[in-house]
Amino acid sequence: VGLTSGCACDYLDNGEPNTRGNTDTLEVRVVSSKDRFIDYIFGAYYEDSLNRTHQIIRYLGETQDIFGGFLSLNDGDVLYDNKIRDSSGEKAVYGELGLNVDEHTRIAFGYRYSDLKVGFIHDQALGSLNLATGGNLNEGIYFSSKEKKSSYKFTVEHNFSDNIFVYALASSG
């Protein structure tokens, strides 16, 4: 419990953790040896994530009127009691093709295609400040976004010696 300006933040009565999350990831890649003229990396990536957050902010202190007397705060009042659920996911394929120009210099071209999704919902938005400020109006409304994204990269690497290495990268995304 952290006490700041009369508010106890992240205060849960039953001792439940305020954040629970689960993320599943899988990545598979094929990588060649780098001791040839042409080298490569090809792969696929998968991620699925779901997080749940419960936050209660309680007012601790003497009674005060706020918003010009519109709202009265009393010791122990719940200001926010929010339950939020967010999810995200990605499916991607990628590859990189490298050319070993000589034993010291390598040039590479890479590409990644991603199918991304994110979502967010207030399962609960209670408490006096949520009600006074309209924070409860988005309760139960699911916000989501999906995007398909391509990104590219180009690199040049050069080893001048065992102690000096230069690397340049240009990328999108």
Side-chain angles (χ1 to χ4, degrees), residues 104 106 156-160 164-168:
H104 301 289
R106 180 176 182 266
V156 177
E157 307 168 4
H158 186 78
N159 273 325
F160 287 98
I164 301 174
F165 175 76
V166 176
Y167 180 91

Side-chain angles (χ1 to χ4, degrees), residues 9-12 15-20 52-56 82 84:
C9 303
D10 295 332
Y11 179 90
L12 299 180
E16 69 177 296
N18 63 336
T19 302
R20 291 185 184 131
R52 297 174 191 271
T53 303
H54 186 188
Q55 181 181 38
I56 295 176
N82 292 350
I84 300 168

Side-chain angles (χ1 to χ4, degrees), residues 31-40 100:
V31 181
S32 73
S33 170
K34 290 212 177 211
D35 60 357
R36 299 182 180 163
F37 177 66
I38 296 177
D39 61 63
Y40 57 85
N100 294 298

Side-chain angles (χ1 to χ4, degrees), residues 56-78:
I56 295 176
I57 300 176
R58 230 179 248 288
Y59 174 76
L60 301 175
E62 295 182 19
T63 300
Q64 339 181 10
D65 290 329
I66 61 172
F67 299 122
F70 175 73
L71 184 62
S72 181
L73 294 179
N74 299 298
D75 188 44
D77 281 355
V78 174

Side-chain angles (χ1 to χ4, degrees), residues 19-22 49-53 84-88 118-123 142-143:
T19 302
R20 291 185 184 131
N22 185 46
S49 178
L50 176 64
N51 296 297
R52 297 174 191 271
T53 303
I84 300 168
R85 198 170 9 135
D86 66 86
S87 62
S88 63
V118 294
F120 175 88
I121 188 168
H122 260 99
D123 289 324
Y142 184 67
F143 299 94

Side-chain angles (χ1 to χ4, degrees), residues 146-164:
K146 293 182 180 181
E147 185 176 352
K148 296 182 185 312
K149 183 75 175 155
S150 291
S151 54
Y152 309 88
K153 77 173 189 174
F154 171 74
T155 61
V156 177
E157 307 168 4
H158 186 78
N159 273 325
F160 287 98
S161 68
D162 288 342
N163 296 322
I164 301 174

